[in-house]
Amino acid sequence: MIVPGSAGAAPLSLKTDGATKTTTICPFCGVGCGQIAYTKGNELIHVEGDPDHPTSEGTLCSKGAALGQVTNNPRRLRQVMYRAPGSAKYESRSWDWALTRIAQRVKATRDASFQTKSGARTVNRTEAIACLGGAALDNEECYLLVKAMRMLGITYLEHQARI
Ligand code: SF4
């Protein structure tokens, strides 16, 4: 006879034991499903649907469920790849180089295209630059991005989910 509490199966051990749980949003599409990312140190070890998320309620499609394979992938690009105008090949560049180059191009384009008037109306805008947001941006990032783009006078603001 088995006395309750005296015997039982070996305790289940999971790969997520001892991992840090962080809630996040799937970066792949505009549905914005909730995910739980499990990390140990700097390593992502598991991703699953967040049952407390109001829209996805713990579910993920195959893309969202495979997010870990994108993060932990030896073929993942980890540096800027630049293809110069007219060139047939990509060259690696530093992030500092890329950010400086983007800032220079934005300033030059804005300076060359900025309109202060449209007829009698004051507009203070550029129609030569557009901004496309992505599903990986959360609410706070979208708020800051829109503020920054409006500050530059950019009126063409769109989001991946509407295209
Ligand atoms: S899990 Fe699938 S449906 Fe949900 S946001 Fe990610 S890609 Fe979109």
Side-chain angles (χ1 to χ4, degrees):
M1 181 177 131
I2 297 175
V3 178
S6 67
L12 189 64
S13 97
L14 301 172
K15 68 177 178 180
T16 52
D17 288 347
T20 301
K21 279 173 73 171
T22 307
T23 54
T24 186
I25 305 292
C26 176
F28 290 131
C29 88
V31 176
C33 297
Q35 296 177 317
I36 301 175
Y38 293 84
T39 52
K40 285 186 177 173
N42 287 330
E43 192 188 352
L44 178 69
I45 59 162
H46 183 66
V47 175
E48 65 189 22
D50 179 0
D52 295 327
H53 193 271
T55 54
S56 53
E57 298 182 332
T59 60
L60 294 174
C61 77
S62 54
K63 273 197 304 181
L67 177 65
Q69 294 172 31
V70 175
T71 305
N72 299 318
N73 190 323
R75 296 176 65 197
R76 177 182 171 191
L77 276 182
R78 293 177 187 274
Q79 61 194 9
V80 174
M81 299 304 294
Y82 172 71
R83 183 166 64 83
S87 172
K89 66 180 174 61
Y90 283 90
E91 303 158 33
S92 64
R93 290 277 200 271
S94 72
W95 280 102
D96 279 348
W97 179 90
L99 293 172
T100 301
R101 175 102 173 140
I102 291 167
Q104 288 168 340
R105 298 295 298 270
V106 167
K107 178 163 183 356
T109 304
R110 182 178 184 271
D111 287 351
S113 62
F114 201 74
Q115 300 171 279
T116 53
K117 291 278 183 194
S118 175
R121 285 178 295 142
T122 300
V123 289
N124 290 329
R125 70 186 179 203
T126 172
E127 295 181 333
I129 305 173
C131 175
L132 178 65
L137 303 179
D138 60 26
N139 284 350
E140 292 76 15
E141 288 167 327
C142 285
Y143 177 84
L144 291 173
L145 180 64
V146 169
K147 285 281 184 197
M149 294 303 110
R150 297 283 188 217
M151 193 173 63
L152 290 170
I154 293 170
T155 55
Y156 293 133
L157 285 168
E158 199 36 281
H159 190 274
Q160 163 197 348
R162 276 171 32 103
I163 296 178

